[in-house]
Amino acid sequence: MTTITRLHRLPPLLTVDGSALVAEIEAYLASLPAPARLLVPYVCPLGSALQAWNTGFPPPILTLLDRIARRPARPVMVTAADHLRLTSRYIGQFGWLQGAMWDDAGRVCLLGAQAAVLAHGYGTGRTVETARWQVMEILHTTGRPVSSPDQYNDRPTTRQADIHHLLDRAATRAQSLGF
């Protein structure tokens, strides 16, 4: 068999509608090995649901007597550790501020967040006092002696992440001590 005869037996590469070329390309692509799948963590395309800063804690409930006397509901009893965690969540949701307790945008400083958590009915004045003592203990044991947590909050070198880290360490300490 000659070379010319073999060429006549091959299907034409180009037909009027181009279907032979398409079939040849598809056959070539099918013969390639499958690409390796990249192992990446799954990320939900819908994102995550926002949760309120007080998720997991019951809201203060007005009793009938509270309504008759027109007084606020009794506070939800929380530990100092819970108060510190709620404070961190509150700052995370509404934003952090230096130099003032709060602003028109709703951002708060450390003291403003503690006051807001207390005003929303979580804990008592004694809870806040115990929580602030725990924050002071962490500041002093980590070599940051200040006269109050607010002074640390307002330092130009303090960042929001520093405040969250401080609150987390203070909450862990308070929980380990049973406060």
Side-chain angles (χ1 to χ4, degrees), residues 102-142:
W102 55 78
D103 66 2
D104 295 336
R107 299 178 303 165
V108 291
C109 72
L110 177 58
L111 180 60
Q114 286 187 298
V117 170
L118 182 64
H120 278 87
Y122 294 99
T124 62
R126 181 77 178 146
T127 309
V128 176
E129 184 180 343
T130 304
R132 286 181 70 79
W133 276 107
Q134 296 306 308
V135 171
M136 285 299 293
E137 287 291 324
I138 295 298
L139 286 171
H140 284 279
T141 57
T142 56

Side-chain angles (χ1 to χ4, degrees), residues 30-178:
S31 69
L32 294 176
R37 288 190 60 167
L38 296 174
L39 296 176
V40 295
Y42 175 74
V43 177
C44 178
L46 304 176
S48 62
L50 293 177
Q51 293 184 351
W53 63 273
N54 58 350
T55 299
F57 293 89
I61 298 174
L62 284 169
T63 63
L64 180 61
L65 188 56
D66 292 334
R67 292 178 190 179
I68 292 171
R70 295 185 180 172
R71 63 182 181 201
R74 298 185 71 176
V76 174
M77 298 311 292
V78 295
T79 64
D82 289 335
H83 173 80
L84 290 165
R85 289 186 186 99
L86 285 169
T87 301
S88 182
R89 287 186 193 176
Y90 193 90
I91 290 171
Q93 183 163 350
F94 293 101
W96 177 66
L97 177 69
Q98 286 181 307
M101 281 184 67
W102 55 78
D103 66 2
D104 295 336
R107 299 178 303 165
V108 291
C109 72
L110 177 58
L111 180 60
Q114 286 187 298
V117 170
L118 182 64
H120 278 87
Y122 294 99
T124 62
R126 181 77 178 146
T127 309
V128 176
E129 184 180 343
T130 304
R132 286 181 70 79
W133 276 107
Q134 296 306 308
V135 171
M136 285 299 293
E137 287 291 324
I138 295 298
L139 286 171
H140 284 279
T141 57
T142 56
R144 298 174 278 187
V146 290
S147 60
S148 75
D150 313 315
Q151 185 182 11
Y152 176 73
N153 181 87
D154 294 338
R155 281 185 177 171
T157 56
T158 303
R159 300 168 305 160
Q160 182 175 350
D162 298 330
I163 297 297
H164 287 295
H165 186 68
L166 173 66
L167 290 169
D168 183 52
R169 289 187 68 181
T172 301
R173 183 178 193 280
Q175 185 172 3
S176 70
L177 294 174

